[in-house]
Amino acid sequence: MRRKKGKLRELHKEGFSRRDFLKGASMAVSTGLLATQEAGAATPETEPGVLGPGAVPITLEINGKPHSLKVEPRVTLLDALRNRLDLTGAKKVCDRGVCGACTVILDGRPVYACNLLAIEAEGHHIVTIEGLSTEGKLHPVMTAFVNHDAQQCGFCTPGFVVACKAFLDKHPDPTREDVERGLGGNLCRCGTYAGVREAVLEAAKTLKGGRANG
Amino acid sequence: MEAFEYARPTTNEEVVKLLTGAKGGAQVLAGGTDILSLMKDGVARPARLVSLQHVKELRGITFHPGTGLRLGATATFEELLENPDVRKHYPALAQAAEGVSSPQVRNTGTVAGDLCQRPRCWYYRAGFGLLAIYNGKPLVPDGDNRYHAILGNSGPAYFVSPSSLAPILVALNAKVKLHGPQGARELPVQDFFLTPKNDQEIEHALQPGEIVTEILVPAPGDVKMAVYEVRQKEALDWPLAAAAVVLNLEGDTVKKVRVVLGHVAPVPWPSPEAEEALTGKSVSEDAAWEAGKAALSKATPLSKNVYKVQLARVAVKRAILRAAKGEA
């Protein structure tokens, strides 16, 4: 208990660097893999309908294309996208379903990829930031972000762009108030909200004008 | 997150069987908003997750003017918000769903998940247990209790009930339908929530292997209703205080009223004091304010949350005025 408490405190300290975090995370992943492979070999599926804890074959439909991979049930959609499929546009920031940096579109609705197991995303249509621009052409929401300087450090930007795209699909003619209310699921610590709102209003006009490509 | 088994049954019976059959404990996976975060933090360590995604009988929202509203356990906040019958006949339920201000959470978070989510108390979330006891001593009374309870907080529980929907569901006399190894049963939503008296107890009435299958809300009749939440920011957060009000008016006079507070106590907190203060009066700013003061007359704030008393008074006042105006 005491050790655990110390560790929690350490994690909460601001000084905990991203490099340290990545080192710890990759160690946890590799030891986890070893452990479950052994367990998987010793205990085959005992109860019908129960999968895992070892890797399970799944197929995800992402940006219109099927991807087959093997993941443990504990792997989130975000980790599967970033670590297994090299789709690193969705960002891992809070990893607790709060900040919105990992936003993807599932069956037309924005969701947090960090709060969804990859295995649960099977059978659904997934659109990521990579699926928004086709043939090197920016999506109108992206163009509007550039025009209105709606990013600073850029870490929240992919999640914001995807959330804005999903918002405009549902509210093609939004008021400023709709925009303010509709983007409550994404945080930007640089404070680019004003630019993001302008960008969404401009993108709404562009999309209505029929210049959309996505 | 530690490794676990995963199952995706298609019926309630199978869910219950899979929940009770797991060695090392099983948990339900609906929207995943809460349980996955708890597992990442090591606060919950189930050996198996039982997904409800493919259980059709748990889905959907239906309304009949005679019998009222049925919310399937896995109906999402967004489905609640988009449902025309809910908006028309239960506008306060839509207001409560709107308070969950992240579209991403509204798209995956379920109504039963809202009732079953564990408290947001930061001691609990940091691994100190639901009652936040360390070396035999409760941490909340002398600790950072700014978001903790101001009513029903004589201990050992100091957390607040985090549910957005519970206050209005209690005010509407809704029931929750459960299914477990012993079959189905029904409970008033009020009785679903419990204040744990020791560390063996939890904050709701679910027995091992039992799940919420439906929420049943009676036909509203000729009432006006509203929810008002006081919150720190517009983006996703839990309210600091909330109130749900169901008003039965005769002309301008309040014939009957239900007032239930949220985020102030370990359970949704009905206020007979506010109801008594308002009954027989005509709705005015003064009368609503008196009801707000009455609702908090027995408040016992902790060292760092006296401010919540005033916020809760204001929540009651504004919920009453919002209900009387009948705005959606």
Side-chain angles (χ1 to χ4, degrees):
Chain A
M1 183 68 195
R2 179 154 296 172
R3 250 186 75 197
K4 195 172 141 212
K5 191 185 152 210
K7 200 161 187 183
L8 278 165
R9 197 172 282 156
E10 196 183 306
L11 274 167
H12 286 151
K13 260 196 259 171
E14 282 191 353
F16 196 75
S17 77
R18 185 160 169 251
R19 185 178 298 266
D20 291 341
F21 174 75
L22 287 174
K23 250 193 269 170
S26 64
M27 261 175 64
V29 167
S30 51
T31 50
L33 271 175
L34 282 175
T36 46
Q37 270 164 9
E38 278 164 27
T43 50
E45 190 179 300
T46 46
E47 220 178 314
V50 178
L51 304 167
V56 179
I58 62 167
T59 303
L60 298 177
E61 195 223 290
I62 303 161
N63 302 326
K65 283 189 206 121
H67 295 262
S68 293
L69 64 161
K70 277 180 91 179
V71 292
E72 293 177 42
R74 66 171 153 174
V75 173
T76 62
L77 175 60
L78 179 63
D79 283 341
L81 291 173
R82 293 181 55 83
N83 302 343
R84 304 294 299 281
L85 301 171
D86 206 26
L87 292 166
T88 54
K91 297 285 179 267
K92 189 169 181 172
V93 179
C94 76
D95 200 25
R96 296 294 185 277
V98 176
C99 75
C102 67
T103 302
V104 299
I105 298 173
L106 190 87
D107 298 336
R109 295 173 178 274
V111 301
Y112 296 136
C114 75
N115 241 348
L116 182 69
L117 297 177
I119 199 168
E120 287 266 287
E122 251 196 317
H124 297 277
H125 307 289
I126 303 156
V127 176
T128 68
I129 183 85
E130 288 88 351
L132 294 193
S133 57
T134 43
E135 293 161 17
K137 262 174 74 187
L138 293 185
H139 185 275
V141 171
M142 298 173 178
T143 310
F145 264 61
V146 175
N147 291 347
H148 291 276
D149 204 10
Q151 62 275 306
Q152 204 175 106
C153 83
F155 226 76
C156 71
T157 308
F160 251 116
V161 169
V162 174
C164 292
K165 197 261 178 202
F167 169 78
L168 286 170
D169 287 344
K170 201 173 166 186
H171 306 90
D173 198 10
T175 62
R176 187 171 290 270
E177 205 190 9
D178 293 337
V179 174
E180 284 171 18
R181 265 207 307 222
L183 299 175
N186 292 71
L187 298 177
C188 168
R189 290 299 78 179
C190 305
T192 60
Y193 298 110
V196 171
R197 286 168 191 164
E198 292 304 324
V200 174
L201 289 168
E202 183 193 287
K205 280 186 210 152
T206 318
L207 286 161
K208 268 190 295 181
R211 279 185 279 142
N213 68 345
Chain B
M1 198 165 14
E2 285 174 24
F4 54 83
E5 296 176 335
Y6 167 88
R8 44 167 84 126
T10 54
T11 66
N12 290 348
E13 286 297 334
E14 286 171 23
V15 172
V16 170
K17 232 167 112 186
L18 285 158
L19 281 173
T20 42
K23 281 189 199 118
Q27 290 272 3
V28 166
L29 174 66
T33 314
D34 194 31
I35 186 66
L36 294 181
S37 290
L38 287 168
M39 288 167 70
K40 287 175 188 174
D41 288 335
V43 177
R45 297 164 188 271
R48 177 184 293 173
L49 280 188
V50 181
S51 167
L52 304 184
Q53 193 188 146
H54 299 273
V55 187
K56 286 201 179 110
E57 58 190 308
L58 291 174
R59 294 181 197 160
I61 297 176
T62 47
F63 174 74
H64 294 289
T67 50
L69 187 70
R70 173 203 173 267
L71 303 175
T74 57
T76 63
F77 281 107
E78 196 65 15
E79 286 169 43
L80 194 62
L81 203 53
E82 288 171 357
N83 188 287
D85 287 320
V86 170
R87 297 197 80 102
K88 186 171 171 202
H89 301 289
Y90 304 90
L93 264 179
Q95 288 164 2
E98 206 164 25
V100 181
S101 51
S102 158
Q104 290 94 322
V105 171
R106 289 201 304 267
N107 283 331
T108 47
T110 63
V111 293
D114 175 72
L115 300 187
C116 297
Q117 66 177 310
R118 307 305 306 272
R120 317 309 300 186
C121 164
W122 42 31
Y123 293 102
Y124 168 62
R125 299 263 157 182
F128 292 100
L130 189 57
L131 302 178
I133 290 169
Y134 186 61
N135 282 343
K137 202 171 157 275
L139 293 169
V140 177
D142 298 322
D144 194 339
N145 50 42
R146 72 182 97 165
Y147 300 131
H148 286 80
I150 52 173
L151 284 158
N153 60 355
S154 54
Y158 300 97
F159 60 82
V160 296
S161 168
S163 170
S164 293
L165 302 178
I168 185 63
L169 289 174
V170 170
L172 289 166
N173 294 319
K175 285 182 177 160
V176 62
K177 215 166 154 184
L178 312 175
H179 194 96
Q182 267 81 50
R185 64 177 176 133
E186 260 179 39
L187 275 180
V189 172
Q190 180 68 68
D191 297 346
F192 181 73
F193 292 96
L194 304 167
T195 303
K197 289 179 282 300
N198 56 60
D199 61 7
Q200 302 301 305
E201 296 182 354
I202 54 168
E203 72 283 9
H204 50 65
L206 282 179
Q207 297 294 314
E210 206 171 33
I211 57 164
V212 174
T213 55
E214 291 173 351
I215 298 167
L216 303 167
V217 196
D222 188 17
V223 294
K224 293 184 161 194
M225 62 178 88
V227 164
Y228 192 92
E229 296 180 339
V230 182
R231 44 180 66 248
Q232 199 160 7
K233 54 183 183 186
E234 286 175 16
L236 180 66
D237 205 354
W238 280 260
L240 298 166
V245 168
V246 177
L247 270 180
N248 202 324
L249 294 171
E250 211 168 48
D252 275 349
T253 311
V254 177
K255 203 167 86 184
K256 219 179 133 204
V257 58
R258 286 301 309 276
V259 177
V260 182
L261 283 77
H263 307 273
V264 296
V267 293
W269 193 260
S271 177
E273 297 86 359
E275 291 165 9
E276 202 190 309
L278 198 63
T279 307
K281 307 259 167 55
S282 63
V283 177
S284 66
E285 198 141 323
D286 286 345
W289 179 237
E290 289 306 319
K293 282 201 288 188
L296 277 298
S297 55
K298 291 177 185 155
T300 49
L302 302 167
S303 56
K304 292 184 172 66
N305 66 8
V306 182
Y307 75 100
K308 280 186 66 163
V309 175
Q310 176 69 2
L311 301 189
R313 285 182 190 129
V314 170
V316 170
K317 174 187 150 183
R318 292 187 186 173
I320 292 168
L321 295 175
R322 191 179 192 185
K325 252 198 267 171
E327 64 178 35

